[in-house]
Amino acid sequence: MATYTLPELPYDYAALEPVINPQIIELHHDKHHAAYVKGANDTLEQLEEARDKDAWGAINGLEKNLAFHLSGHILHSIYWTNMTGDGGGEPLEKDGVGELADAIAESFGSFAKFKSQLTKASATTQGSGWGVLAFEPLSGRLIVEQIYDHQGNVGQGSVPILVFDAWEHAFYLQYKNQKVDFIEAMWKVVNWQDVAKRFASAKQHATNLLLVP
């Protein structure tokens, strides 16, 4: 059975300073993300055992654990590549990401309005969670979602293309309890090239994502 592996960081621990300090990146990637990978793999083994024994007393907990750990692994894998030390600003035609810029304007009215919505959605997640820009394949538009923990409160079939981690482990060592300050700072390291590639891929494969009218 296929198992999940922790992806390597596309930069060194200090690459996102001063927005995110090296200690946070190291702990976040090497400990927290690694724990989600291990959790997903361990749960797959437990589900395999349950199938072999036809023993389903723990099925609800196992399915919940798989969704939690697997979603955590997927979102973090996107998160690392969504950031770069040379990022920030907004997507512009001159930078080769005009299609993304146009889609943001069409879906939200303007980049400023989109930025405000994603900032508020990320900063006001109750407890642990994420703010996410996602491609919604039925309408072909972009939407902003709040994700509680890693997997709750999402539209079925939507594809994350930009994610802001609002769990305390993503920022507390540096920003203490000022989540909104961390989210505001995150805009300085957004890798719009990566977001644009994810948007283009999601749009290209939209008709295969959901086989509905």
Side-chain angles (χ1 to χ4, degrees):
M1 179 179 293
T3 56
Y4 302 103
T5 58
L6 181 69
E8 293 185 6
L9 286 171
Y11 35 70
D12 61 42
Y13 295 137
L16 302 179
E17 284 195 296
V19 173
I20 309 178
N21 69 40
Q23 185 182 16
I24 289 177
I25 296 294
E26 182 177 5
L27 289 171
H28 196 169
H29 176 269
D30 297 1
K31 302 298 183 181
H32 289 281
H33 189 172
Y36 301 129
V37 173
K38 183 178 186 303
N41 289 330
D42 288 349
T43 306
L44 287 177
E45 290 182 4
Q46 293 170 54
L47 284 166
E48 183 178 20
E49 182 179 355
R51 290 192 299 273
D52 291 342
K53 296 180 177 179
D54 197 26
W56 302 109
I59 185 62
N60 288 341
L62 290 174
E63 295 290 359
K64 183 177 180 179
N65 284 343
L66 182 60
F68 177 83
H69 291 296
L70 181 53
S71 294
H73 173 38
I74 290 171
L75 288 170
H76 279 93
S77 297
I78 297 170
Y79 180 66
W80 304 124
T81 61
N82 270 172
M83 297 184 290
T84 175
D86 299 324
E90 64 180 277
L92 299 171
E93 176 70 34
K94 67 180 182 65
D95 297 323
V97 291
E99 186 177 358
L100 173 64
D102 291 343
I104 288 174
E106 181 178 353
S107 297
F108 300 99
S110 68
F111 177 80
K113 292 177 180 178
F114 153 67
K115 181 178 179 180
S116 178
Q117 183 177 345
L118 182 54
T119 297
K120 293 298 183 183
S122 304
T124 59
T125 50
Q126 295 177 329
S128 301
W130 300 70
V132 172
L133 173 67
F135 176 79
E136 195 285 290
L138 290 186
S139 65
R141 65 181 289 122
L142 296 172
I143 60 174
V144 165
E145 297 178 323
Q146 279 184 324
I147 299 181
Y148 299 126
D149 291 333
H150 298 307
Q151 75 280 18
N153 204 33
V154 298
Q156 299 300 312
S158 60
V159 181
I161 63 172
L162 173 63
V163 300
F164 282 4
D165 192 340
W167 281 65
E168 286 190 347
H169 64 238
F171 63 88
Y172 201 86
L173 287 176
Q174 185 173 353
Y175 293 85
K176 303 300 186 282
N177 65 334
Q178 300 302 312
K179 183 190 295 187
V180 67
D181 290 346
F182 170 66
I183 299 302
E184 290 283 1
M186 276 289 299
W187 291 101
K188 299 176 182 178
V189 294
V190 173
N191 183 349
W192 292 115
Q193 297 293 329
D194 181 70
V195 179
K197 289 178 183 177
R198 294 181 181 280
F199 171 63
S201 179
K203 189 174 181 180
Q204 179 183 356
H205 297 97
T207 55
N208 297 323
L209 294 175
L210 293 174
L211 299 178
V212 296

